[in-house]
Amino acid sequence: MENKTEKPLDFIRQIVADDLKTGKHLKPVTRFPPEPNGFLHIGHAKSICLNFGIGVENNANCHMRFDDTNPSKEEQAYVDSILTDVKWLGFGWGDNLFYASDYFDQLYDYAIQLINQGDAYVCDLTPDQIREYRGTLTDPGKESPNRNRSVGENLDLFERMKNGEFEEGACCLRAKIDMNSPNLNMRDPVIYRILKAHHHRTGDKWCIYPMYDYTHCISDSIEGITHSLCTLEFEDHRPLYDWVLDTLKTPCHPRQIEFARLNLTYTVMSKRKLLQLVKENYVEGWDDPRMLTISGLRRRGYTPASIRDFCAEIGIGKRESWIDMGVLENCVRNDLNPIAPRMMCVLDPVKVIIDNYPEDKVEEVTAKNHPQDPEQGTRTLPFSREIYIEREDFMEDPPKKFFRLGPGREVRLRYGYYITCDSYIKDEATGQITEIHCTYDPESKGGSSPDGRKVKGTIHWVSAKHATPMTVKLYDRLFSSENPDADKEVDFKEHLNPNSILILENCMGEPALADLEPGKQVQFERQGYFCPDSVESTKDKLVYNRIVTLRDSWEKVKDNE
RNA sequence: UGGGGAGUGGCCAAGUGGUUAAGGCACCGGGUUUUGAUCCCGGCAUCCGUAGGUUCGACCCCUACCUCCCCAGCCA
């Protein structure tokens, strides 16, 4: 988890390094502050890797903190999933697990202080009026008629707000800053509102809840955070972050630094939209393997390392950028290639009968578990007269560059024998090939022959009688548009890819595939990386997920034919 | 037409006054190969949003302009 090669520091790590060098800080303290109102996704992974990454790189702490100030949207279930996901990604927070709700009492006291200093007031304007009074991007705001209430009256009103004497929306506490500020966030922002909702941690103790801008900076300060990292849209909030801490004269004043959030092609990243896909059943849940949530990626078969590599690869900056989905895919391939054991599985089987092979004979052939890594050993595979091969590995009238099976052509069965196609049977009604007849060369066991003749093509196969039947789910990108959000006139769901999942019910795998543990990643040779689905796969009905395909240069050649 | 940000190859991204302008992905060639995988080798910006200026010298400094993103929740 450390820098392998000398990758240049991103601008944030540079700032942290400088602060250490100048002695401004002995150790950085960062934090990952999700709101528990949804599941974590690949975009959060970027923030997690940044914040926790700075922690491990400096042998320092990164706090886990839930920003739970809006009980109407938050749930314990989300807290649990978030904790699970961060751990799974490979990070830890030790004893530093916090909740903004832990600070509600302190936050309340600070609000009293603000009132006493004349820096906050209770405002009776309705939400609509507040919006009106706020002005616009180009016009200044108007001061609330309650702006100059006495400290005593404010204290009394705020106390009564806390005691539940007012209805939601009847009034709120506002910071007294500047209604003429060109930054709308500084036009007397609301810092406390009345919310008669049950909070997942504090229950019904409170009916007023602090707002993000007021809570976040104080929470950071309480925890002694040195660098408070957030996304670009909070840039305009930084003056408010600083105002609160300066006005309250808190002993510690963290530096907020903003970076660009992650955008990935062919997907959507907002929690709101992901929630919608889940709620309206466009996907099977937050952990649907097509979802770019951490739980979806985990179920799909992505490794934590591949996601960390991805986050390191894309870097941290301030430009709004769109990362190609291919970069993520490349990261899993790179991670899995050296470690995933090789197996054979025929996804779309067609039967091959080897006419010159004895009826009841079964022999064993030896296969390498990894072609480049002898340490992974070998295994034996049963071979017999009837086998399955991939339907697309046979063509009735193949072009020259098709290095597979066709009438009169010879191919190598991986780790098996050379076979030559003599004839085939076709169902005239459907046009489907139902059976292929071949003869094998008994001298070629293992995949090479004494005469040293060249056989260009090697295909995978599985002994029919010994095969493990299974279901394989092939996934493709969830959306068929690079940016489903691009057109404001068109709902993003219009761009859902109708072929994002293809379920193959009749796949035939080699025997060992019957007892792989759920989630265990393997490579199906010539196909891609797969793993047994951790929720659906059972001994009786095996279900495998395709994590990612192998690179396929044949695909390009084929298109040029 | 207010304020805050950003502009380096198809996509990311280093670079912070003197470099042949890193690296990854993608793409294009070639080699090895019992996975058309992996691996290896080679190619891929005379140019850094545009136009001026400063300088012996600028992607890096200055000026103007252009384009894109964010902000008017009692959401975070």
Side-chain angles (χ1 to χ4, degrees):
Chain A
M1 219 181 292
E2 70 236 67
N3 311 348
K4 313 167 184 166
T5 44
E6 290 303 313
K7 225 195 158 183
L9 297 182
D10 56 68
F11 82 101
I12 292 179
R13 279 183 241 253
Q14 190 59 252
I15 290 171
V16 171
D18 290 347
D19 287 347
L20 259 27
K21 203 160 86 186
T22 63
K24 180 175 179 187
H25 301 294
L26 264 30
K27 289 243 170 175
V29 183
T30 50
R31 101 269 92 113
F32 173 60
E35 182 189 13
N37 67 343
F39 280 58
L40 258 26
H41 54 64
I42 184 78
H44 293 106
K46 178 177 180 181
S47 173
I48 291 166
C49 290
L50 209 216
N51 282 294
F52 283 97
I54 288 174
V56 329
E57 289 153 25
N58 294 282
N59 197 250
N61 291 332
C62 173
H63 297 183
M64 179 72 215
R65 180 170 80 231
F66 287 96
D67 234 325
D68 55 351
T69 56
N70 186 354
S72 58
K73 290 186 179 171
E74 298 152 5
E75 294 174 22
Q76 184 60 40
Y78 292 133
V79 170
D80 298 339
S81 77
I82 289 168
L83 259 13
T84 300
D85 289 348
V86 175
K87 261 188 254 172
W88 178 77
L89 276 175
F91 298 104
W93 47 83
D95 295 330
N96 301 303
L97 171 60
F98 305 112
Y99 296 79
S101 54
D102 292 342
Y103 311 132
F104 281 174
D105 286 304
Q106 289 170 81
L107 257 1
Y108 182 78
D109 292 343
Y110 272 127
I112 301 283
Q113 184 186 330
L114 240 27
I115 292 173
N116 278 126
Q117 291 177 192
D119 290 314
Y121 62 95
V122 173
C123 179
D124 303 332
L125 257 24
T126 65
D128 278 350
Q129 288 172 316
I130 287 189
R131 187 178 337 117
E132 246 180 80
Y133 276 61
R134 185 154 33 223
T136 68
L137 296 179
T138 48
D139 302 317
K142 271 190 308 192
E143 297 192 347
S144 162
N146 307 312
R147 199 169 197 262
N148 295 308
R149 278 213 248 245
S150 70
V151 167
E153 194 182 352
N154 280 319
L155 252 17
D156 174 60
L157 256 14
F158 187 49
E159 164 105 38
R160 288 166 61 195
M161 275 174 65
K162 186 187 76 164
N163 293 339
E165 292 184 31
F166 306 113
E167 292 311 305
E168 288 189 8
C171 53
C172 60
L173 185 71
R174 293 227 253 168
K176 192 192 284 189
I177 308 181
D178 178 8
M179 292 308 291
N180 292 314
S181 172
N183 181 344
L184 306 217
N185 294 121
M186 300 298 272
R187 319 241 263 227
D188 289 11
V190 173
I191 58 176
Y192 260 95
R193 79 292 212 184
I194 298 170
L195 235 39
K196 302 201 167 168
H198 186 85
H199 188 280
H200 68 105
R201 302 199 83 232
T202 58
D204 297 314
K205 176 176 177 189
W206 298 88
C207 62
I208 55 171
Y209 292 91
M211 298 285 288
Y212 166 84
D213 286 309
Y214 174 73
T215 308
H216 201 86
C217 52
I218 294 177
S219 303
D220 281 347
S221 177
I222 290 171
E223 292 178 19
I225 301 299
T226 56
H227 303 269
S228 181
L229 316 179
C230 61
T231 43
L232 253 26
E233 67 271 27
F234 292 101
E235 241 160 350
D236 287 342
H237 295 241
R238 185 164 11 104
L240 180 49
Y241 184 104
D242 292 331
W243 182 91
V244 172
L245 297 185
D246 288 342
T247 305
L248 253 11
K249 300 187 177 59
T250 56
C252 149
H253 190 139
R255 166 150 43 161
Q256 173 178 304
I257 307 169
E258 310 83 9
F259 63 93
R261 64 182 334 135
L262 169 65
N263 294 297
L264 256 191
T265 56
Y266 299 102
T267 190
V268 293
M269 213 61 95
S270 92
K271 274 198 251 182
R272 210 199 91 240
K273 293 198 172 76
L274 295 177
L275 213 211
Q276 201 179 339
L277 294 175
V278 172
K279 285 248 154 86
E280 298 172 17
N281 297 312
Y282 289 99
V283 295
E284 286 161 35
W286 284 102
D287 68 345
D288 186 299
R290 292 166 295 178
M291 294 276 273
L292 273 296
T293 50
I294 304 301
S295 50
L297 289 164
R298 174 168 60 233
R299 185 172 162 194
R300 172 85 166 251
Y302 273 71
T303 55
S306 68
I307 295 173
R308 280 188 247 117
D309 289 348
F310 172 74
C311 293
E313 191 61 55
I314 60 176
I316 300 290
K318 299 195 71 153
R319 304 182 213 171
E320 307 246 354
S321 56
W322 282 83
I323 310 290
D324 196 285
M325 190 66 105
V327 178
L328 215 207
E329 295 174 344
N330 185 59
C331 287
V332 233
R333 288 195 191 100
N334 283 344
D335 188 41
L336 256 20
N337 176 48
I339 58 175
R342 271 52 175 176
M343 301 265 181
M344 290 200 281
C345 178
V346 178
L347 301 181
D348 184 10
V350 60
K351 187 170 277 186
V352 169
I353 296 165
I354 302 163
D355 294 311
N356 62 338
Y357 195 91
E359 288 275 354
D360 297 317
K361 185 173 175 184
V362 176
E363 46 183 334
E364 290 187 327
V365 298
T366 303
K368 292 178 185 168
N369 290 330
H370 191 110
Q372 281 83 34
D373 181 13
E375 299 268 300
Q376 292 199 31
T378 60
R379 66 189 187 285
T380 58
L381 260 17
F383 186 88
S384 63
R385 187 170 194 263
E386 297 192 0
I387 61 173
Y388 291 114
I389 67 165
E390 210 68 64
R391 186 168 293 282
E392 63 173 24
D393 284 340
F394 175 85
M395 279 182 89
E396 291 179 77
D397 185 20
K400 247 216 167 66
K401 280 190 267 185
F402 184 80
F403 307 137
R404 310 182 193 179
L405 205 55
R409 293 207 186 184
E410 183 173 48
V411 290
R412 170 168 38 235
L413 295 174
R414 173 139 247 225
Y415 303 123
Y417 287 97
Y418 290 176
I419 56 171
T420 303
C421 171
D422 303 317
S423 63
Y424 59 94
I425 300 171
K426 182 171 168 180
D427 179 335
E428 289 305 336
T430 63
Q432 274 235 318
I433 307 296
T434 54
E435 219 170 83
I436 298 168
H437 285 264
C438 295
T439 48
Y440 84 116
D441 173 1
E443 296 294 297
S444 64
K445 185 170 181 185
S448 61
S449 69
D451 66 6
R453 71 178 182 279
K454 288 270 180 272
V455 172
K456 180 77 180 163
T458 300
I459 63 174
H460 57 102
W461 55 278
V462 90
S463 169
K465 159 160 47 166
H466 307 88
T468 303
M470 60 169 104
T471 293
V472 174
K473 294 188 174 181
L474 266 26
Y475 301 106
D476 195 0
R477 33 196 63 157
L478 232 199
F479 292 89
S480 36
S481 159
E482 277 208 351
N483 178 5
D485 283 328
D487 190 343
K488 302 274 181 287
E489 307 296 308
V490 182
D491 188 280
F492 75 103
K493 297 193 291 318
E494 300 278 312
H495 297 294
L496 247 4
N497 175 6
N499 305 313
S500 62
I501 182 168
L502 179 60
I503 303 179
L504 302 175
E505 308 269 9
N506 305 309
C507 308
M508 293 292 180
E510 64 171 79
L513 254 15
D515 0 72
L516 226 55
E517 63 184 278
K520 166 74 178 171
Q521 297 92 345
V522 295
Q523 185 193 97
F524 288 176
E525 294 213 26
R526 303 209 306 135
Q527 299 292 247
Y529 296 95
F530 296 76
C531 70
D533 187 279
S534 53
V535 342
E536 284 186 23
S537 195
T538 64
K539 279 263 174 293
D540 298 328
K541 184 171 193 273
L542 294 166
V543 180
Y544 274 72
N545 292 323
R546 182 172 71 194
I547 305 164
V548 67
T549 62
L550 253 29
R551 277 203 196 83
D552 186 3
S553 57
W554 163 242
E555 196 66 36
K556 289 162 201 161
V557 178
K558 192 171 62 178
D559 292 342
N560 294 335
E561 284 291 324

